[in-house]
Amino acid sequence: MTPLVVGVSGINAVDNPGPGIGVARSLREATDLDVRIIGLAYDAMEPGVYMDWVVDDAFLLPYPSAGHDAYYQRLRQIQERTGMRVVIPTLDTEMPFFMQHRDALAADGLATFVPTAEQYRLRGKDRLDELARTIGLALPRTEVVTSAEELERAVDRIGLPVMVKGAFYKAHRAHTTQEALVHYHDLVAHWGYPVIVQEIVQGDELNVVAVGDGEGGLLGRVGVKKMWITELGKIWTGVTIRHPEMLRATEAFMAAYQWRGPMELECIVDGDTAWLVEINPRFPAWSYLATGVGVNLPARMVRRALGLPEPTPPDAPDYEAGKLFVRYTYEIVTDMERFQRMITLGERGDTP
Amino acid sequence: MSRLRSLAINADGFAFDPTTGDSFTLNPTGLLILNGLREDLDADAIAARVAERFEVSADEAARDVTDFLDTLRTFRLL
């Protein structure tokens, strides 16, 4: 049988890991899917390029910000080389491209399962107030700013310390207005406008990973408590939880926004209050935890994207709380050849 | 009380709250009191159990139970 070729981005399994390796592992573990994983990388040194037990072949892409035409053409080249039928973008910066070109890609035989541009916009960090009200969560005092003067006024109103967050990535704690300004300029330089200033609330970091079916329902969801995080704020150890308020909010989000594709709900929970931090429009880097407890979200998503039947026997209907997630580091020693091929040819060279 | 009931507790006194992901370590006295609460016993009945099991005075057992209930409130488990 011809394997199903799936392209997965975000294979940068570094200290701030992309979600791709967890997604790829999940697909490999779906016993009803015979997959061949194509890693879509932006740098020859992304570790996933060399993880050949997870990624069958890897190709370099230009950044989407370098121009949609070049990105589209490169995807088509990879499709022609590999027979790729599905692409799972896992990085925030890829989303605008895939949302905009979803129909054209589908017409060219590349299936995706991503939200519409409107759904994506409505969950943006600059719309948190409305989002929190819609899904029934509390929101720390939040202001969206587009100038240094607005930032200073927002800090005055909210009070120090504050979180200063980029439109796409990064969040910094600022203890002084000067510190907030430094973070503001840094975020604008890297990610553009707007910048979000948010009150710091105390509590546990609880998150949910889920996939919406695009019709108001869920293909599955799993909650986690971050027990140990790195200096970059990335989960290193976590445990599955069933926090009713967060699971309810996830369902409310799907129902209200008809979300199609993966998402991560981030909250700070203090007692009975669940504060919305943000909703990310993609799989989180820890999404393999869901697969590990029997909720294989990437596999469910691929089946839905291609209209494939449910597996036999079916997936477990739900998951157990109290399952531990532990990340670890590992090293690979390999020949320079693959690196050279990535640099010179833009591909690892494992496609016949 | 619903959070107390949902705690997963093993025989060694490790308790896990599936709602929040919090975990706790209980000493034998705490484990006895917690199990009493989960059986809907009142504080006096639990203190009587503590006094009998650990061979302490009724007053001391009552103080232990009161202290432990305060601790549970601190962790918002009561």
Side-chain angles (χ1 to χ4, degrees):
Chain A
M1 197 172 82
T2 310
L4 172 64
V5 184
V6 183
V8 179
S9 69
I11 58 168
N12 50 327
V14 295
D15 58 342
N16 181 6
I21 292 298
V23 170
R25 282 182 73 195
S26 299
L27 292 173
R28 298 198 88 87
E29 290 183 16
T31 51
D32 63 316
L33 297 178
D34 176 19
V35 291
R36 179 170 169 78
I37 301 291
I38 301 300
L40 304 174
Y42 296 97
D43 191 296
M45 286 205 270
E46 291 186 23
V49 169
Y50 305 93
M51 297 171 69
D52 57 12
W53 65 98
V54 179
V55 174
D56 295 294
D57 200 359
F59 290 78
L60 277 180
L61 276 83
Y63 287 107
S65 55
H68 282 195
D69 286 349
Y71 196 84
Y72 200 107
Q73 282 171 25
R74 183 58 174 153
L75 281 176
R76 293 278 284 145
Q77 284 171 357
I78 296 167
Q79 182 191 21
E80 281 167 25
R81 285 275 291 122
T82 64
M84 184 165 71
R85 285 181 59 199
V86 184
V87 181
I88 304 181
T90 69
L91 304 174
D92 298 60
T93 45
E94 297 167 337
M95 295 310 295
F97 171 87
F98 283 97
M99 290 183 306
Q100 185 180 333
H101 300 285
R102 186 182 66 189
D103 293 341
L105 289 167
D108 282 333
L110 271 176
T112 57
F113 206 69
V114 295
T116 64
E118 178 66 359
Q119 290 167 343
Y120 178 85
R121 189 180 66 79
L122 289 173
R123 56 114 299 267
K125 289 185 190 179
D126 54 345
R127 305 290 293 263
L128 287 176
D129 190 31
E130 185 186 333
L131 178 60
R133 265 187 280 115
T134 304
I135 64 175
L137 292 175
L139 184 71
R141 275 177 296 167
T142 301
E143 296 203 24
V144 180
V145 301
T146 52
S147 72
E149 292 73 29
E150 280 183 18
L151 175 101
E152 288 184 39
R153 285 198 293 273
V155 170
D156 284 345
R157 279 192 289 267
I158 292 172
L160 290 161
V162 293
M163 293 303 289
V164 186
K165 300 178 169 186
F168 280 124
Y169 290 113
K170 298 276 185 182
H172 303 282
R173 182 184 286 251
H175 295 274
T176 65
T177 304
Q178 201 56 39
E179 211 180 337
L181 279 166
V182 170
H183 293 316
Y184 169 83
H185 289 298
D186 181 56
L187 289 167
V188 168
H190 281 92
W191 306 110
Y193 298 101
V195 167
I196 291 89
V197 187
Q198 199 169 62
E199 174 191 9
I200 294 177
V201 290
Q202 303 299 326
D204 292 322
E205 280 190 56
L206 307 186
N207 295 358
V208 174
V209 58
V211 175
D213 64 7
E215 297 166 4
L218 276 164
L219 297 183
R221 82 282 183 269
V222 170
V224 68
K225 177 190 180 176
K226 293 182 178 180
M227 296 171 70
W228 199 25
I229 57 171
T230 66
E231 285 186 6
L232 296 172
K234 305 303 162 189
I235 185 170
W236 208 257
T237 304
V239 63
T240 54
I241 55 161
R242 300 180 62 86
H243 192 277
E245 183 67 2
M246 290 193 63
L247 298 181
R248 183 206 54 72
T250 305
E251 287 168 17
F253 174 75
M254 297 302 175
Y257 293 88
Q258 310 275 300
W259 187 261
R260 177 176 46 208
M263 58 82 91
E264 179 192 27
L265 169 67
E266 289 190 25
C267 289
I268 300 284
V269 176
D270 181 27
D272 294 329
T273 306
W275 304 89
L276 172 65
V277 176
E278 62 181 305
I279 289 183
N280 292 313
R282 50 158 174 79
F283 283 114
W286 55 270
S287 69
Y288 180 77
L289 170 62
T291 303
V293 297
V295 182
N296 192 329
L297 295 172
R300 291 181 188 187
M301 195 176 88
V302 165
R303 282 187 212 106
R304 182 59 64 101
L306 295 176
L308 299 175
E310 294 301 306
T312 310
D315 272 5
D318 218 334
Y319 69 96
E320 214 180 301
K323 293 291 182 187
L324 204 62
F325 165 91
V326 184
R327 214 169 245 163
Y328 64 100
T329 54
Y330 196 73
E331 294 82 26
I332 307 166
V333 178
T334 187
D335 294 331
M336 278 290 281
E337 202 179 319
R338 285 179 166 171
F339 177 68
Q340 288 164 2
R341 279 201 298 262
M342 286 298 284
I343 293 288
T344 55
L345 303 174
E347 61 181 88
R348 198 173 81 189
D350 288 318
T351 295
Chain B
M1 184 57 89
S2 62
R3 282 190 64 196
L4 270 192
R5 287 198 192 290
S6 67
L7 287 179
I9 306 172
N10 75 7
D12 298 324
F14 180 84
F16 173 74
D17 183 341
T19 302
T20 61
D22 291 338
S23 53
F24 311 92
T25 312
L26 298 154
N27 64 17
T29 313
L31 186 57
L32 189 77
I33 298 171
L34 197 61
N35 283 332
L37 290 168
R38 280 152 63 101
E39 290 169 35
D40 283 334
L41 297 180
D42 64 21
D44 290 344
I46 295 171
R49 268 194 190 177
V50 170
E52 184 188 346
R53 166 77 174 75
F54 297 104
E55 297 178 355
V56 295
S57 70
D59 281 351
E60 193 176 341
R63 275 199 304 277
D64 285 348
V65 171
T66 303
D67 287 349
F68 190 74
L69 293 178
D70 281 346
T71 303
L72 291 179
R73 286 188 195 99
T74 303
F75 288 112
R76 301 181 187 180
L77 288 165
L78 264 189

